[in-house]
Amino acid sequence: MARDSCLSRVTAGVAVGGAVGGAVGAVYGTYEAIRYKVPGLMKIRYIGQTTLGSAAIFGLFLGAGSLIHCGKQY
């Protein structure tokens, strides 16, 4: 079986991190919007900002971790 290229591993790490971060961000954003009684349509914006921010951070760190692991030979 051929080994995956480093780029495909990092891309997969970013994608998985973005998916997990987006899910966590959506749940957390919804909780915070309800908890702090964000008014009206601002809830949608608040949840969206939290979701995208969390997805970006998780994706960045999981992609960086995948990049670090690319060079290691086991």
Side-chain angles (χ1 to χ4, degrees), residues 22-41:
V24 169
V27 171
Y28 182 72
T30 303
Y31 169 73
E32 288 290 313
I34 292 170
R35 180 177 178 208
Y36 291 118
K37 297 180 176 143
V38 177
L41 290 177

Side-chain angles (χ1 to χ4, degrees), residues 47-67:
I47 293 168
Q49 285 177 340
T50 307
T51 301
L52 291 177
S54 181
I57 294 297
F58 270 81
L60 175 74
F61 284 125
L62 203 57
S66 299
L67 183 64

